[in-house]
Amino acid sequence: EVERELYDGREPDLMGAMESLKVEFGLTSDDMLTAMGKLLPIQLELKLPGLLRWLRTIGAHGVAFCPMMPLEAAYAAEALGIPSVALLTTAGPGSLERTMAEMTAAFGTTEEQVCEAVRAYEPHHMAVRRLKDNFGVTFDSFVEKPFGRMGVLRHSRVTLVTTSEELQDPASDELMEAYRRDGVEFVAVGPLLDEAGATRAAGHREKISEGDAASHHADGAAVVSQVKAAKAAGRRVVLVSMGTVITG
């Protein structure tokens, strides 16, 4: 509805019509990581016009965004000259570094092969140049060294991490040095716990019905009720958080 340039004539999916773009650009034989690396600036170029229209319509003074997906909010803020804040709901700056290593192994490829395939894909570079010329933004490729660096975080005034310092994934010295050079500041704020009666956005889902939302809230209410009963009985309660990004 907002990003019509991307979604008109293409099938929406969790990654933003990425499967349709793979077909459109003849990349159906590529693994997901390589295809995303090639297509992300092309996808961003299609997303930005509609998002910029919407942000101007509502008179946005700032943007909060996920630095993993989708990324267009950070670039839209840059194009409009308004501040942005990243909310990282995985286990800290080292989490994507670890995820990338696991994904390349799962797809039977290597970091070097993915990076080389993206560097050799001319439509990627053409889109990067158009983004600069037409929107004034500099695209940050996630396949540049160090692998697992979220380059988009350089746009953020501060990056809020929804876990504690102690529970973050380890990060390599090379990765943290790259973030220091970019001026990225991470602040571990701990898990974002709901207040009683709060309504969630339903987690990591492409679509959700009103019935699903009601069921999700009801399930949460039952857990809270059990916790309160345990506390009233003098029992100790331990919260084990598995993270907030892949919930729902």
Side-chain angles (χ1 to χ4, degrees), residues 135-157:
F135 301 101
V137 300
T138 302
F139 180 74
D140 304 279
S141 176
F142 75 82
V143 297
E144 297 300 325
K145 294 290 187 178
F147 209 57
R149 168 180 163 268
M150 291 172 273
V152 72
L153 291 180
R154 69 177 178 82
H155 302 277
S156 180
R157 295 287 181 90

Side-chain angles (χ1 to χ4, degrees), residues 7 12-18 47 69 204-207:
Y7 289 108
D13 58 43
L14 191 60
M15 305 304 294
M18 188 60 73
K47 284 183 169 186
M69 56 175 283
H204 197 71
R205 296 186 183 184
E206 181 183 344
K207 298 177 182 177

Side-chain angles (χ1 to χ4, degrees), residues 2 27 40 44 57 66 83 88 95 135 137 196 221-222 234 242:
V2 172
L27 300 177
L40 276 176
L44 178 62
T57 298
C66 170
L88 180 59
S95 59
F135 301 101
V137 300
M242 300 303 290

